[in-house]
Amino acid sequence: MPSAPLLDSFGRGITYLRLSVTDRCDLRCTYCMAERMAFLPRSEVLSLEELHRLALAFIERGVTKIRLTGGEPLVRRDVIDLVRALGRRLEPAEGQQGGLEELTLTTNGTRLTEFADDLAAAGVRRINVSLDTLDRALFARLARRDRLPQVLEGIAAAKAAGLAVKLNTVALKGLNEHEIPALVEWAHGHGHDLTLIEVMPLGEVEGDRADHYLPLTVVRERLAARWTLIESGHRTGGPASYFEVAETGGRIGFITPLTGNFCATCNRVRVTATGELYTCLGGTEKVDLRAALRSDEPEAALAAALDEAMRIKPERHHFRIAPGAAPALRRHMSLTGG
Ligand code: SAM
Ligand code: SF4
């Protein structure tokens, strides 16, 4: 059993860690980043060995699921070494209870052709790949890089390696809005579930996100007019609620930070590549795990920092998206990861 399970002041057990291994990325999705991003100085980023030690401290406290994210996790040099090291934690010694049950990652897919086999061999079973469009010109506009063929090859490579691939699509008014049914059909036709996400007001980008905000309540109504959506009890430990599509046999997930708050069942915390633990994607509350890790008594300092995190984790986020409004937070999603 974990030494002292992570329980926040609202009684929510924290069993899921999203660990960012870098804030850098080979794409520049317009809703996520500015074209000219100021990235974290490399000197401040934790080494892979430090990220591993942090992850172990969380597992020790009862975390059973770790998602590596970023930025783009697969652009971090030697990241596969971290995946392999954590993958070894997926096989608890005989008689041992608890431990890591799932190791996964969220990726933009551009480097999956290179990494899919290694991920599968390291014990990864499921991954999330972000795909906002199947239209090459729109992809190049949204990601500011012409990489759709590479991403599609990456998805195929992941499938061939035996990884279950879930696609993540940010729903964007006037951009991929009318392509959503085609994306769902493509995903289900290839054996992938697809989760739609509402755009969140995180960090300054060039445009106004409100121009492209598309409430998923609207999308769901449209999809329900086209297909038979059956509420599903399927859960993956994250915030999505799922529906089965009778006609395609696949699942659609909805992540609705704006139109349907899911904070009551939050089981997650996020750690940046510099070791800042953010207790909520939509809040500024944080503790410094790097300082704890590099202190004279790292074990005690980490335990105290995690206790403090549980004390300050807020009850909910208060995202709001409105024309002309500043982002709710200055921090970009690429810092804390998806
Ligand atoms: N680079 C990887 C990727 O794109 O999958 C992992 C990191 S990315 C920050 C994780 C997820 O966050 C992606 O699915 C992306 O589309 C989503 N995302 C980024 N910025 C967002 C925003 N402002 N609102 C909603 N989703 C966002
Ligand atoms: Fe990179 Fe992912 Fe952000 Fe796109 S959403 S810019 S791929 S971190």
Side-chain angles (χ1 to χ4, degrees):
M1 288 299 283
S3 53
L6 297 171
L7 201 62
D8 78 357
S9 58
F10 301 94
R12 295 172 296 193
I14 303 303
T15 53
Y16 182 1
L17 168 65
R18 296 198 177 182
L19 182 58
S20 170
V21 299
T22 179
D23 66 326
R24 288 166 198 257
C25 189
D26 53 346
L27 303 183
R28 290 286 182 284
C29 302
T30 48
Y31 53 80
C32 175
M33 289 194 182
E35 169 74 73
R36 285 179 218 292
M37 283 288 283
F39 292 113
L40 295 165
R42 284 186 206 275
S43 59
E44 289 183 20
V45 170
L46 298 181
S47 67
L48 291 177
E49 197 261 330
E50 286 176 315
L51 288 167
H52 182 226
R53 279 169 57 206
L54 270 191
L56 294 188
F58 278 93
I59 296 170
E60 175 69 19
R61 296 290 297 269
V63 161
T64 56
K65 174 168 175 173
I66 296 181
R67 176 178 299 282
L68 301 180
T69 176
E72 173 47 41
L74 296 180
V75 302
R76 171 109 193 223
R77 207 164 152 224
D78 298 330
V79 69
I80 200 70
D81 292 342
L82 176 65
V83 178
R84 289 195 185 108
L86 291 175
R88 287 195 277 276
R89 295 281 154 174
L90 288 165
E91 300 145 19
E94 215 173 307
Q96 191 185 324
Q97 276 197 326
L100 191 58
E101 289 168 11
E102 181 169 22
L103 175 63
T104 182
L105 84 163
T106 303
T107 174
N108 63 27
T110 59
R111 304 196 68 185
L112 270 178
T113 312
E114 185 183 339
F115 285 109
D117 286 334
D118 289 342
L119 292 170
V124 173
R125 295 288 165 257
R126 305 186 304 154
I127 58 172
N128 288 357
V129 182
S130 301
L131 184 68
D132 296 327
T133 179
L134 289 165
D135 174 329
R136 185 165 176 174
L138 181 59
F139 186 101
R141 185 176 154 205
L142 284 179
R144 298 195 183 100
R145 303 289 185 269
D146 180 17
R147 300 278 160 76
L148 179 64
Q150 219 170 305
V151 171
L152 296 181
E153 277 168 31
I155 293 171
K159 189 178 171 186
L163 297 169
V165 176
K166 180 168 76 69
L167 301 176
N168 279 347
T169 304
V170 178
L172 298 162
K173 187 166 80 185
L175 293 171
N176 64 1
E177 177 173 4
H178 296 294
E179 205 193 329
I180 290 175
L183 272 162
V184 171
E185 265 170 356
W186 187 89
H188 291 181
H190 286 78
H192 310 303
D193 289 345
L194 181 140
T195 292
L196 296 163
I197 306 173
E198 286 173 345
V199 72
M200 288 174 255
L202 294 171
E204 287 287 352
V205 289
E206 277 81 0
D208 186 343
R209 285 193 189 86
D211 292 346
H212 298 295
Y213 166 58
L214 180 59
L216 288 184
T217 41
V218 172
V219 177
R220 196 159 71 199
E221 262 176 41
R222 287 181 193 161
L223 293 176
R226 183 186 188 104
W227 288 312
T228 317
L229 301 190
I230 306 155
E231 244 177 281
S232 150
H234 179 71
R235 304 296 305 174
T236 57
S241 52
Y242 286 91
F243 288 78
E244 272 158 35
V245 180
E247 291 81 355
T248 64
R251 272 189 292 253
I252 309 179
F254 294 87
I255 299 187
T256 55
L258 282 306
T259 59
N261 188 285
F262 41 66
C263 300
T265 55
C266 185
N267 58 354
R268 308 172 276 291
V269 290
R270 294 157 202 270
V271 174
T272 69
T274 56
E276 286 181 318
L277 185 166
Y278 282 98
T279 56
C280 172
L281 180 62
T284 52
E285 298 82 356
K286 61 175 177 174
V287 298
D288 182 359
L289 298 184
R290 185 179 57 181
L293 203 57
R294 294 181 182 175
S295 69
D296 292 338
E297 294 200 45
E299 269 188 30
L302 272 178
L306 293 183
D307 289 341
E308 171 68 1
M310 292 305 99
R311 199 184 61 74
I312 63 175
K313 184 171 164 66
E315 186 171 15
R316 53 167 296 171
H317 71 71
H318 295 279
F319 284 144
R320 209 176 62 86
I321 197 159
L329 293 172
R330 296 187 52 192
R331 211 168 72 217
H332 290 85
M333 185 98 159
S334 52
L335 185 75
T336 43

